[in-house]
Amino acid sequence: MIDPLNRKIIGWKISTRTDQALVNDALVNDALAAALATRCKPSGLILQTGRGSQYCSESFMALVKKYGVLSSVSRKGNCWNNAAAESFFATFKKRTIFGKPIATRNGQRQQVFDFIEIYYNRVCRHSTNGWVTPVEFERLITKTWRQALSINLTRSKFKTRRDVTTEPLTCRWLRIDCSDLEFEG
């Protein structure tokens, strides 16, 4: 699962099973659960998927409904909504699979982890992010949101911490913890 705002991979799973239908359903469900866990189940989330059977399965639709996620599927022949995922997999194949056989399952798992969590999210720069990494872009946008929130709170009628809810504020894709903001008075 890719966050379209910053191109960060936020949910992924791999499997050793070859039962295609069962594996696809389980992998997609596990990846969605992992993505939601990293984003603290934000409200108003729209999940853009392909037209594959795993995204139409009863178990996937039940999971989407359970978390209150709005499912969106492209029209037949409309591939633009999936361009970020296609780009990711092209880069993944070029940098990990082609010409680099790995003999063990643990080696394969480590290779996938290294590519996603170390290279793609923390080293690979993206033009859509102004040529910064997904992790750096997320840090910058979070800092900007926190600064804007802090300015708005200090200029508003809220003067003390008890005037503001202690619940983290959530926008479409970002959870902001306001517990350490400074207040007047």
Side-chain angles (χ1 to χ4, degrees):
M1 302 284 169
I2 300 175
D3 185 328
L5 180 72
N6 59 19
R7 300 296 196 261
K8 183 177 179 184
I9 304 300
I10 57 172
W12 61 276
K13 293 290 177 184
I14 59 174
S15 175
T16 59
R17 305 245 346 226
T18 58
D19 179 1
Q20 198 63 29
L22 179 63
V23 169
N24 280 345
D25 286 352
L27 287 177
V28 167
N29 292 353
D30 289 350
L32 176 59
L36 291 171
T38 64
R39 291 294 187 243
C40 304
K41 301 174 194 155
S43 61
L45 180 68
I46 299 172
L47 178 65
Q48 174 66 40
T49 64
R51 299 177 61 85
S53 62
Q54 65 271 28
Y55 302 113
C56 301
S57 72
E58 288 181 24
S59 62
F60 183 76
M61 294 311 290
L63 191 62
V64 165
K65 186 176 180 179
K66 174 183 173 183
Y67 289 115
V69 174
L70 178 64
S71 181
S72 173
V73 180
S74 297
R75 291 183 308 240
K76 188 175 180 180
N78 185 353
C79 59
W80 299 283
N81 290 335
N82 207 26
E86 296 296 335
S87 176
F88 164 79
F89 281 113
T91 304
F92 174 75
K93 289 174 186 177
K94 284 182 228 169
R95 293 202 172 254
T96 61
I97 296 174
F98 298 138
K100 299 176 184 175
I102 304 289
T104 66
R105 289 182 181 146
N106 286 337
Q108 291 171 339
R109 278 192 190 98
Q110 187 63 48
Q111 187 179 37
V112 171
F113 176 87
D114 289 348
F115 177 79
I116 293 173
E117 299 298 341
I118 296 172
Y119 173 74
Y120 192 83
N121 283 344
R122 289 175 174 77
V123 175
C124 186
R125 296 171 185 217
H126 298 264
S127 60
T128 55
N129 292 350
W131 296 107
V132 298
T133 69
V135 168
E136 179 65 12
F137 187 82
E138 187 172 59
R139 188 190 67 74
L140 292 170
I141 200 75
T142 301
K143 181 180 176 184
T144 302
W145 271 83
R146 286 178 57 82
Q147 287 173 345
L149 181 62
S150 180
I151 290 168
N152 287 339
L153 286 175
T154 57
R155 290 183 181 166
S156 72
K157 64 180 181 174
F158 304 119
K159 298 296 179 189
T160 64
R161 184 175 301 278
R162 69 175 169 253
D163 292 332
V164 179
T165 179
T166 57
E167 291 296 313
L169 298 175
T170 305
C171 71
R172 179 170 65 85
W173 57 270
L174 177 66
R175 185 176 167 104
I176 303 172
D177 182 5
C178 302
S179 61
D180 62 342
L181 292 176
E182 297 295 323
F183 294 90
E184 297 174 6

